[in-house]
Structure formats: C-alpha cells, structure tokens
Amino acid sequence: CPWIGGCVGRRNHADFVRFLLAASSGCTYGLVVLYGFASRMLLPFFAARKMPPMPSHVATALFIALPPAMGVCLLTIGGTGALLVWNLYLMARNLTTVEWAARRRARREGRDP
C-alpha cells in the first residue's frame, strides 16, 4: 500500500482501516465545510446578482476553485469509502486481501481451500 508505506497484513490491517476511516472522515468534513462556505457566503450573492462583500477577483477565484475542490473531496470519499467497506468486510471474515485472493483463485481452479 503506497499510503502506509508497506504491505497490509494481519499485524497492520486494523491500522489501515483506521487510516481509511480517518481519510474518509476528514474529506467528508472538508466537503461539509466547503459546501457550508459556498452556500452561506457566495451563493446568496450570486443568486441576487450582487457582488459579494469581497474584491471581485477573490470572488471569481473562489467560484473557480470551489467546484474542483469539492470534486476532489467527493472522489477521495468515494475511493477511501469503498476501500473502507471492503476492508471491513475482510476483517469481519478474518481475512487479508491476499488470503481472499488465494481462496478465490482456488475456487476458480476447482480446489476448495
């Protein structure tokens, strides 16, 4: 795993799941903060066609920067959330990804592990 700098196995599987939970939670928090900022500070002024109480170049930069930032948050939440669900499933079955893959390969080849 490139994020933790090593292989995810029995000894560090729980740490990896905690990392995924923290990453998903942090990005969810970031998305909520960005959305709150956009909805309370920028969108009312944009809807009323008035300039926000800030310089126009700052407001323009925020309108340009917020959608990509929110998109990155959503993609990260999706990716880490999917990995989190997958690893929680593996932990519930007391397996690592390598063991799961070995069992799957054995079933495909007709050997029952």
Side-chain angles (χ1 to χ4, degrees), residues 31-113:
L31 185 64
V32 168
V33 168
L34 286 172
Y35 179 77
F37 176 77
S39 65
R40 291 191 181 166
M41 292 294 290
L42 297 175
L43 293 181
F45 294 106
F46 185 68
R49 296 181 190 257
K50 296 179 183 176
M51 288 304 295
M54 61 183 79
S56 63
H57 66 281
V58 173
T60 303
L62 287 174
F63 277 117
I64 291 171
L66 278 175
M70 293 173 96
V72 167
C73 285
L74 283 172
L75 287 173
T76 305
I77 292 166
T80 58
L83 272 173
L84 177 64
V85 169
W86 172 246
N87 279 278
L88 288 174
Y89 167 79
L90 289 175
M91 285 181 75
R93 299 208 173 243
N94 198 25
L95 293 171
T96 64
T97 306
V98 173
E99 293 168 339
W100 173 83
R103 285 186 181 185
R104 185 173 179 204
R105 189 177 321 113
R107 287 189 187 127
R108 280 187 188 168
E109 295 172 357
R111 296 178 287 134
D112 195 26

